[in-house]
Amino acid sequence: MSTETMTRAEAAPAVLPVGRYGYDQIDRTFLRERIEQFRDQVNRRIAGDLTEEEFKPLRLMNGLYLQLHAYMLRVAVPYGTLGSKQVRALARIAREFDKGYGHFTTRQNIQFNWIKLEDTVAALEVLAEADMHAIQTSGNCIRNITSDEFAGAAKDELLDPRVHAEILRQWSTLHPEFTFLPRKFKFAISGSPHDRVVARFHDIGLIARPGPHGRPVFEVFVGGGLGRTPIVGVSLRDDLPEEDLLAYMEAILRVYNAHGRRDNIYKARIKILVQALGTDEFRRQVEEEFVAMDRARYRIEPGLVEAIKARFGAPAFAPAGEAVAVLAEDRRRDIAFDAWVRTNTHEHKAPGYISVVISLKPAGGIPGDATAEQLDLLADLADEFSFGELRVTHLQNVVLGHVRQDQLHTVWQRLSQAGLGTANVNFITDIVACPGLDYCALANARSIPIAQKLSSRFANLELQREIGDLRINISGCINACGHHHAAHLGILGVDKRGQEAFQITLGGSGEEDASIGQILGPAMAEDETVDAVSRLIDLYLVRRENGERFLDTYRRVGTAAFKDVVYAPA
Ligand code: HEM
Ligand code: SF4
């Protein structure tokens, strides 16, 4: 049967991947056709029939950027979930077409920084064989939909958001009305009251919870964003019923598409429109569109949710048995392991299981980078210990979602042997950084070396434990790809009379207490900035009360004392 005459049910895959939607022959045919189209475009570029300017919109449709030194390929990881076969495909791309590593980003994508134009089609073919692509990872369209890295696993989760993330993915992929929006558009979705997806800094952030009749409802945040105009998103609806999810999203996008500013790239994001109209007027316009539109076309019936859910593989959890007791005993016997368990794991909803956060932030390392060998190991560990499934976090780490507690010690040993056992998740060295001036044509300053210096300065694990939770994020320019505004301590690269310099912001948060970091004072050179961070930490350790986090001490004490310690030291 040709794929043209197949129904979705007939095309369905025999084996379902755990934690994500299983592609069928129709999806695969679509990807193959896209690759052939791109092959032709690349060939024309290489032959000189297309100028770089003409090629640009075509390559961006396929996630191919041109950076400072080379092309960069940005690959989407829908709702952050990867299968082991996919991770091996990424390793192969790193090995064969890049310099042996990939870089995980703050939006659950992975980027390859050294791709040669003539290799791009082969790289896309490797991706397609593993049901992956780079479509809609750039351009003014709806980008990769991000989600909670502990989805389907976290004990505090009310609802696994990935089925709805998949519904949104299918709705937004090649949506004809929303392919040329005024500007890019980013969704994040979570099913936990604890915001692990930075929902309030997205164009649309959705928080799902169970509603009446066993069906979810969604809180809808809109108009959040970072960049040169950081804004915390506003809540548009608190209780959007599941059946209206797509219709309401469509209504928001229509209002934005019609009224978003296309005359000024800096004012084109939805956040500017929401601010210009005011929340009430924006909501009124969305409701007006929502009431007038053919909502039946977009209604999500329970059958649709079930059909999408049926295309997800589910992990077959074994009974807990002795797993909990074994882990407790392993922790008692091995202090280093115990320290790692305390920082790098997350409580699981299934008894006897636990989620593992694998830090991609070794002391002095490049945040978010993983080598081909490490990727292969992660794929092996996913197969052996986590139902073949791996997740990517927006904090540039990776997660094994479902590890049995009695196997955790083995997992830790294997990770440690490969340099992946750093026990620093949410600590001061768990730094998020954008590529900065090492790669990015828009950068003012390098983000990576300062991240490395800070991570070396605070490498002592005892000191890190003493400091506790502290989020440092670094962006190489005001576009804020490193989410610096949303960090407890943010660092922004600026150009100070032709020199690289750094501005510190304090007090930001990307979680449910979302706030925008405030600029502490004038920018400083790299080494001065690293020293300034040390002084800020020293002050915090003196002033903190009752084990408060750095953020809480800053909020309680206020800016002045922190400013003095950097700019007017005694
Ligand atoms: C080729 C390299 C890159 C370029 C040219 C680029 C460009 C930009 C630009 C122009 C903005 C500002 C958008 C706006 O405010 O309208 C932005 C924001 C952003 N980018 Fe990048 N970026 C690059 C790499 C990255 C990387 C590596 C990450 C992840 C680490 C990333 C994630 C983000 C995020 C999270 C934002 C801010 C959130 C928001 O959209 O409000 N970008 N980027
Ligand atoms: S924040 Fe600036 S320097 Fe960093 S990746 Fe984004 S555009 Fe480039």
Side-chain angles (χ1 to χ4, degrees):
M1 196 182 323
S2 92
T3 49
E4 275 164 37
T5 54
M6 266 183 195
T7 65
R8 279 275 164 183
E10 285 163 345
V15 181
L16 295 173
V18 167
R20 66 199 161 82
Y21 180 84
Y23 270 31
D24 57 29
Q25 286 313 320
I26 296 171
D27 300 305
R28 292 187 179 125
T29 303
F30 163 68
L31 281 195
R32 274 203 302 277
E33 287 169 1
R34 274 294 287 247
I35 291 174
E36 288 317 309
Q37 195 183 47
F38 191 52
R39 187 193 308 277
D40 177 56
Q41 294 161 355
V42 170
N43 285 344
R44 283 192 285 150
R45 172 70 193 115
I46 292 171
D49 298 340
L50 290 175
T51 64
E52 189 56 42
E53 215 36 48
E54 288 165 333
F55 181 53
K56 186 175 173 184
L58 305 173
R59 64 171 162 77
L60 287 179
M61 292 276 193
N62 294 284
L64 190 66
Y65 287 74
L66 187 55
Q67 290 189 284
L68 272 182
H69 313 290
Y71 286 100
M72 178 272 278
L73 183 65
R74 182 182 288 164
V75 179
V77 180
Y79 33 97
T81 309
L82 283 168
S84 55
K85 184 180 167 192
Q86 296 181 316
V87 180
R88 289 193 187 92
L90 296 174
R92 192 175 149 200
I93 291 174
R95 197 174 282 124
E96 292 181 18
F97 307 120
D98 202 284
K99 293 191 175 180
Y101 62 93
H103 175 79
F104 288 107
T105 80
T106 50
R107 290 210 77 255
Q108 294 181 324
N109 297 311
I110 181 166
Q111 296 189 171
F112 294 100
N113 285 313
W114 299 100
I115 300 287
K116 292 193 193 69
L117 184 56
E118 46 275 34
D119 288 336
T120 49
V121 173
L124 290 183
E125 282 175 329
V126 172
L127 289 176
E129 279 167 30
D131 298 341
M132 297 183 90
H133 60 74
I135 298 164
Q136 289 186 210
T137 61
S138 67
N140 294 335
C141 54
I142 299 175
R143 303 285 188 90
N144 188 36
I145 309 234
T146 56
S147 188
D148 185 355
E149 63 262 28
F150 300 121
K155 194 164 184 181
D156 63 19
E157 180 178 85
L158 300 174
L159 212 134
D160 184 347
R162 290 176 299 182
V163 169
H164 294 89
E166 176 62 27
I167 292 173
L168 289 166
R169 187 187 76 84
Q170 295 195 11
W171 160 76
S172 62
T173 301
L174 302 191
H175 191 308
E177 226 178 292
F178 306 139
T179 303
F180 297 101
L181 291 165
R183 198 76 178 89
K184 58 179 150 182
F185 204 92
K186 301 175 181 179
F187 272 82
I189 178 167
S190 165
S192 164
H194 296 292
D195 185 349
R196 288 184 286 263
V197 300
V198 208
R200 290 151 181 87
F201 283 119
H202 272 77
D203 296 290
I204 292 183
L206 297 167
I207 306 287
R209 63 173 193 274
H213 317 297
R215 298 192 69 188
V217 291
F218 298 85
E219 178 160 21
V220 182
F221 292 97
V222 68
L226 298 164
R228 69 185 59 227
T229 319
I231 293 172
V232 178
V234 294
S235 179
L236 216 53
R237 285 282 295 265
D238 182 35
D239 55 355
L240 180 68
E242 178 185 50
E243 66 171 20
D244 289 330
L245 177 65
L246 285 186
Y248 202 73
M249 296 303 107
E250 183 97 11
I252 294 174
L253 264 300
R254 282 186 186 176
V255 171
Y256 171 53
N257 207 13
H259 303 297
R261 286 185 57 178
R262 291 171 191 270
D263 60 318
N264 182 340
I265 189 174
Y266 300 121
K267 297 195 184 299
R269 297 288 289 266
I270 194 173
K271 62 188 173 187
I272 304 293
L273 180 66
V274 174
Q275 293 299 312
L277 294 177
T279 309
D280 290 343
E281 174 58 16
F282 183 79
R283 186 186 290 116
R284 192 196 63 73
Q285 292 195 14
V286 171
E287 296 287 341
E288 191 176 80
E289 181 68 37
F290 179 67
V291 168
M293 70 196 281
D294 178 7
R295 289 203 302 284
R297 264 191 71 199
Y298 300 94
R299 186 168 298 136
I300 299 181
E301 302 290 359
L304 173 77
V305 179
E306 283 313 309
I308 299 284
K309 202 171 170 183
R311 291 283 288 273
F312 276 67
F317 296 122
E322 298 301 304
V324 177
V326 171
L327 173 60
E329 181 54 26
D330 288 342
R331 293 180 69 168
R332 251 194 310 277
R333 272 185 308 166
D334 189 334
I335 300 169
F337 172 61
D338 181 59
W340 178 81
V341 175
R342 259 187 281 149
T343 46
N344 291 45
T345 59
H346 199 266
E347 241 186 318
H348 201 287
K349 58 173 82 164
Y353 284 81
I354 197 160
S355 299
V356 172
V357 186
I358 301 166
S359 168
L360 296 180
K361 324 284 178 62
I366 298 177
D369 274 11
T371 64
E373 292 68 35
Q374 288 175 332
L375 289 168
D376 278 336
L377 173 73
L378 293 173
D380 291 347
L381 293 177
D383 277 339
E384 286 175 57
F385 301 104
S386 198
F387 302 96
E389 184 224 63
L390 200 89
R391 294 102 182 279
V392 180
T393 85
H394 76 275
L395 300 172
Q396 299 176 299
N397 291 318
V398 288
V399 164
L400 288 170
H402 321 288
V403 175
R404 264 186 76 89
Q405 295 189 10
D406 49 2
Q407 297 184 321
L408 193 59
H409 194 255
T410 312
V411 170
W412 173 71
Q413 285 174 318
R414 298 266 297 273
L415 288 170
S416 300
Q417 282 157 12
L420 289 170
T422 313
N424 65 344
V425 170
N426 291 331
F427 283 169
I428 187 167
T429 61
D430 185 6
I431 296 171
V432 165
C434 78
L437 195 54
D438 287 292
Y439 300 100
C440 178
L442 304 176
N444 290 320
R446 287 167 301 157
S447 316
I448 293 171
I450 190 168
Q452 291 174 301
K453 282 190 181 173
L454 283 166
S455 141
S456 301
R457 165 84 53 109
F458 292 98
N460 182 316
L461 261 186
E462 251 167 72
L463 173 63
Q464 293 193 48
R465 256 178 251 134
E466 168 66 14
I467 298 168
D469 280 9
L470 201 164
R471 167 127 307 289
I472 294 187
N473 288 24
I474 306 170
S475 305
C477 80
I478 196 61
N479 287 321
C481 303
H483 287 193
H484 68 278
H485 301 107
H488 304 172
L489 195 162
I491 296 179
L492 165 66
V494 297
D495 178 339
K496 203 170 178 180
R497 294 183 291 276
Q499 299 293 320
E500 289 177 53
F502 298 89
Q503 218 171 46
I504 292 178
T505 54
L506 294 181
S509 166
E511 300 180 1
E512 53 274 19
D513 60 348
S515 59
I516 294 162
Q518 299 302 307
I519 296 170
L520 190 65
M524 293 165 278
E526 186 179 277
D527 285 336
E528 284 178 82
T529 310
V530 175
D531 289 339
V533 172
S534 283
R535 287 204 291 278
L536 292 167
I537 300 303
D538 289 343
L539 177 70
Y540 154 64
L541 291 175
V542 171
R543 299 292 298 267
R544 99 169 139 195
E545 288 175 4
N546 308 321
E548 302 170 305
R549 296 175 304 167
F550 177 88
L551 178 64
D552 300 320
T553 304
Y554 172 77
R555 284 176 174 169
R556 179 175 54 76
V557 170
T559 313
F562 285 90
K563 196 173 172 127
D564 280 355
V565 84
V566 171
Y567 295 101

